[in-house]
Amino acid sequence: MLNISNQEVDDSLWHEELDRAHRELLEPRGARLLAQVLVAVGVLFLIILFLPWRQTIQGTGTLTTLRPQDRPQTVQNAIAGRIEHWAVREGQLVKQGDTLLTISEIKDEYFDPNLPERLREQLTAKQGNVAANAAKIEATDQQLAALRLTLNVQLDAARNRVTQARNSVRIDSADLVAVTNFFQIAQARLARYEEGYKNGLFSLTDIETRRLKLQEDQAKVTAQRNKLLNSQHSLANARIELSNLRAKYEQDVAKTLSDRSSAVSSRASSEGEVAALRNKISNVDVRRGLYIVRAPQAGYVVRTLKAGIGETIKEGESIATLQPDAPVLAVELYVRAMDVPLIQRGRQVRLQFDGWPAVQFSGWPSVAVGTFGGTVTVIDVVSSGNGKYRLLVRPDQHHERDRAWPAQLRLGSGVYGWVILDSVPVWYEIWRQLNGFPPSLQAEPTEAPVKAKAEK
């Protein structure tokens, strides 16, 4: 080496330092330690790769209720009115049926304080009209019965007259045949007598006597023929009288039935008015009961949407927001569409609520700190507006060691959840995450959200 320094180094010292440096270079302790650490880390990594890893599906959501009646609701008034008195304040706990608000009437048709009594008087009058129409119907029924009885009697008499006229016609017809025969016999005798008179057998007196007899018989024939015509006319008149009697009866019956129909129509109209008045009386009674707006169920008055005294509110307008007491809590988590086919009802969920610090190990949920257990209860069959599917999670009832959900939870607070799936090796989970594959299941889910109907 070059001697660039003015001081000289003893050769023995130089050789000692050179030997010590040589020994240190030949014995690399740090490298061995590093190699041992790397080998240990590699073995530990290989062991970790074959450890079981619980796959999870992450989702975010809010705290809600399982039953619709437990969710915040708006209390509405059924009728329009004017605010007269508020019986509650915001944040107050009310029971079912407690008075929230008192209103007064604003429609002029309900201003009369004695309106129910007036309507009952009208109802009494209409009921009397119904009774009068019922009496008229009964009277017309009796009139119809009397008409039928009178008709039967008159029809019997008219039929008897027709029968008598028919018998007279038959008798007169027989008499006409007899006198006609007598007349023909008289004509034959007169001819014989005239022949005998020519032969001198009979006298002129006998001829004249026979001629007189012939004229008498001819007169009898004419009289009997006229009598038969009179009998036939009497029969025709009896038949006409019978027809007129039936026509008159039908006219009287038609008039009576018309009166009865009018009475029935009037009674039906009166009964309809009676029903309408009863309905109106009931509506008035119910409407007067609606002047007081009551709490539909027990809960807290969150906010009053109307304020002041004397303010007019419309029919069906919201007046306050009510949060039901002791709701059945549930968490609604939203997961991706690619993950929802892997989730079944009954899957365990770990939940982290806003305001409660927690540490969640996704692959080892048993070592999580500050999380709470849950169970998937409902899986929506259609996606929500954000393209994700909603899950309803109830508190887990299977693990007694799991803590109950905090009593200080408020509806609408944020929740972060992990749906726990099956166990896989760590190396498989790393490979799945690197390739972007969905989680895997040991068996195909048996639950079908929608059953499709087979087409023929």
Side-chain angles (χ1 to χ4, degrees), residues 188-251:
R189 287 180 178 177
L190 179 60
R192 288 195 300 271
Y193 269 83
E194 287 179 352
E195 187 67 26
Y197 174 72
K198 291 179 181 180
N199 295 327
L201 296 176
F202 299 103
S203 62
L204 182 60
T205 302
D206 295 332
I207 294 298
E208 291 177 350
T209 301
R210 292 299 172 186
R211 289 177 177 173
L212 290 175
K213 181 62 176 174
L214 178 62
Q215 291 178 356
E216 291 178 359
D217 291 339
Q218 186 177 6
K220 290 181 180 180
V221 170
T222 302
Q224 189 62 37
R225 185 178 290 111
N226 293 333
K227 186 177 180 182
L228 177 59
L229 291 174
N230 292 334
S231 299
Q232 291 176 348
H233 291 162
S234 298
L235 177 60
N237 292 333
R239 289 175 176 173
I240 293 173
E241 184 180 359
L242 179 61
S243 299
N244 290 335
L245 183 62
R246 289 175 177 173
K248 184 177 181 302
Y249 167 75
E250 290 177 356
Q251 182 179 1

Side-chain angles (χ1 to χ4, degrees), residues 284-415:
V284 170
D285 293 338
V286 173
R287 186 180 181 88
R288 294 199 169 189
L290 296 176
Y291 293 160
I292 299 177
V293 181
R294 303 181 184 275
Q297 56 180 324
Y300 292 90
V301 180
V302 179
R303 179 179 300 176
T304 56
L305 305 178
K306 288 292 181 180
I309 302 298
E311 184 177 356
T312 301
I313 55 178
K314 299 179 181 179
E315 179 179 350
E317 189 173 1
S318 300
I319 59 175
T321 302
L322 181 69
Q323 168 58 51
D325 188 24
V328 180
L329 296 180
V331 170
E332 53 179 7
L333 290 179
Y334 292 91
V335 298
R336 298 178 302 174
M338 64 178 296
D339 295 331
V340 72
L342 307 175
I343 303 174
Q344 296 174 284
R345 286 199 294 262
R347 283 285 184 180
Q348 296 182 7
V349 184
R350 301 306 301 179
L351 301 171
Q352 178 183 350
F353 298 105
D354 287 349
W356 274 262
V359 177
Q360 168 66 19
F361 294 93
S362 180
W364 295 290
S366 59
V367 297
V369 178
T371 60
F372 300 87
T375 303
V376 177
T377 304
V378 177
I379 305 174
D380 285 351
V381 297
V382 295
S383 62
S384 302
N386 55 4
K388 295 184 177 182
Y389 285 82
R390 188 187 66 154
L391 310 178
L392 286 181
V393 180
R394 289 283 294 122
D396 193 356
Q397 305 294 335
H398 298 87
H399 295 81
E400 298 179 355
R401 294 178 299 176
D402 205 353
R403 295 184 300 167
W405 289 7
Q408 296 81 7
L409 291 176
R410 295 291 185 268
L411 296 181
S413 60
V415 182

Side-chain angles (χ1 to χ4, degrees), residues 2-14:
L2 297 177
N3 291 324
I4 60 176
S5 176
N6 295 326
Q7 296 180 356
E8 295 182 358
V9 178
D10 189 6
D11 293 336
S12 61
L13 180 61
W14 175 259

Side-chain angles (χ1 to χ4, degrees), residues 36 42 45 60 118 160-161 196 250 263 274 308 324 351 360 388 413:
Q36 292 175 359
F45 181 72
T60 58
R118 304 287 187 273
N160 291 333
R161 287 192 292 270
E250 290 177 356
V274 167
L351 301 171
Q360 168 66 19
K388 295 184 177 182
S413 60

Side-chain angles (χ1 to χ4, degrees), residues 140 143-145 147-148 151 245-263:
T140 52
Q143 185 177 359
L144 283 174
L147 284 174
R148 292 190 181 95
L151 174 66
L245 183 62
R246 289 175 177 173
K248 184 177 181 302
Y249 167 75
E250 290 177 356
Q251 182 179 1
D252 294 340
V253 169
K255 183 177 180 304
T256 306
L257 289 176
S258 177
D259 295 339
R260 188 180 186 280
S261 299
S262 299

